[in-house]
Amino acid sequence: MTTAADLLAPDTAMGAVTLRVGDLDRMVGYYRDAVLLDVISQLGGTALLGRDGVPLLVLQHAPELRSAEPRSAGLFHTAIVFETEQALAAAVYSVASRFPHSFTGSSDHLVSKAFYFTDPEGNGVELYWDRDRTQWSWAHGQVEMSTIFLDPNGYLQEHLTQEALDSPRAGGASIGHVHLSVGDVPQARDFYVDKLGFEVTATYGPQALFVSAGGYHHHMAMNTWNSAGAGRRGLALGLGQVEIVLPDADEVAAADARLRHHGLQTADDGLTVTVNDPWDNTIVLRPAAG
């Protein structure tokens, strides 16, 4: 029987996602000028980007690395959630205008409205807005999600206001969830649910798993759509690490103890705890800023 001690805290959230990139200037330009993130800092080969001072992406220059092999495990997409539909529309319009060929689709997922892109180095990007939780439907412990066509032009006509065009960076945004490509969904469930402490919120047959803390539709997802049977990742461009933000240091310590109890090797630097999933995706647990 699962108890509260087996779970991540209800107010768990996602932190910054780190990407290893080959062309730092181009990638900073994409996320700054198209996705409309701010450059918080850039020192040497590392650029920190976010919104309203909140870090969302860390871009690490690694020109010596090659792109990941096809069908390998790693990042499926980084999903940025916007506080308002006007802010989302401004970002979608910006990306579509500056990098029109990076658009890959859009969907109404019932819990959210989402637009999908691929950045210049092949990393998936989702930009979305959440409906209020009172509008989500749950049945047998799982949230009802779907993939319904969402007309991007119609969406922009409805939500791209003059105010949003005049102030395209207005309105907050954060990392809403991170979606991974993995080799095996049961293994993903064993790590992310049974050991790390997320709860399952949805499954799509044997190919995809959605998990969260505190009843969110999903903080993380894992699928095998392009990566079934993938083994451990080699060092390559793409995903560097995923940050999960827990309420305080006690919750970080509790998660560390739970992971070690299950036989996983963790690294504790006194503030953060780092652990690798079965595909060598690096997960960093840190406390929320006090």
Side-chain angles (χ1 to χ4, degrees):
M1 179 179 176
T2 301
T3 68
D6 301 315
L7 300 175
L8 292 171
D11 42 356
T12 293
M14 303 306 294
V17 173
T18 298
L19 300 178
R20 302 187 190 100
V21 304
D23 187 333
L24 182 61
D25 290 342
R26 189 180 187 204
M27 291 289 276
V28 167
Y30 181 84
Y31 285 101
R32 178 193 63 211
D33 302 333
V35 181
L36 302 178
L37 301 184
D38 302 318
V39 178
I40 297 173
S41 66
Q42 186 167 350
L43 183 64
T46 300
L48 179 63
L49 295 97
R51 196 75 174 252
D52 295 336
V54 178
L56 303 186
L57 283 180
V58 180
L59 303 181
Q60 292 181 339
H61 195 207
E64 73 282 3
L65 298 181
R66 296 183 177 184
S67 299
E69 292 294 322
R71 306 193 67 81
S72 61
L75 183 69
F76 189 69
H77 61 236
T78 300
I80 300 172
V81 59
F82 291 81
E83 289 182 355
T84 68
E85 291 195 83
Q86 290 72 30
L88 171 59
V92 169
Y93 176 75
S94 176
V95 182
S97 299
R98 290 172 170 80
F99 291 83
H101 299 298
S102 72
F103 177 71
T104 59
S106 50
S107 295
D108 185 331
H109 293 305
L110 301 182
V111 295
S112 63
K113 298 177 183 179
F115 297 83
Y116 297 92
F117 302 88
T118 302
D119 77 16
E121 296 195 359
N123 300 292
V125 181
E126 177 183 342
L127 308 179
Y128 75 108
W129 167 82
D130 275 333
R131 287 188 170 90
D132 190 84
R133 291 194 184 203
T134 60
Q135 298 180 43
W136 304 355
S137 295
W138 294 78
H140 307 294
Q142 297 204 8
V143 66
E144 183 181 356
M145 293 190 288
S146 186
T147 302
I148 302 167
F149 174 70
L150 177 61
D151 176 18
N153 293 316
Y155 187 87
L156 292 180
Q157 288 174 0
E158 182 176 357
H159 297 291
L160 186 61
T161 63
Q162 188 60 50
E163 182 181 2
L165 286 170
D166 291 341
S167 302
R169 283 178 161 80
S174 59
I175 299 296
H177 63 269
V178 177
H179 197 145
L180 301 177
S181 295
V182 299
D184 178 77
V185 166
Q187 267 190 291
R189 180 173 182 142
D190 175 71
F191 177 84
Y192 286 98
V193 177
D194 298 340
K195 294 175 180 175
L196 183 54
F198 279 117
E199 295 179 275
V200 175
T201 56
T203 55
Y204 284 74
Q207 296 184 327
L209 173 71
F210 297 78
V211 302
S212 83
Y216 189 53
H217 54 72
H218 65 295
H219 284 113
M220 296 194 71
M222 308 91 205
N223 76 69
T224 60
W225 297 325
N226 302 317
S227 55
R232 291 183 174 275
R233 300 172 59 204
L235 190 60
L237 295 175
L239 182 65
Q241 66 182 39
V242 175
E243 192 176 71
I244 299 174
V245 182
L246 304 183
D248 52 43
D250 288 344
E251 290 291 344
V252 173
D256 184 28
R258 187 164 58 247
L259 291 166
R260 288 187 286 105
H261 170 76
H262 287 291
L264 294 174
Q265 184 174 355
T266 65
D268 184 348
D269 66 5
L271 177 66
T272 67
V273 168
T274 301
V275 64
N276 283 3
D277 78 3
W279 300 275
D280 274 343
N281 296 304
T282 299
I283 308 298
V284 177
L285 309 176
R286 72 162 176 86

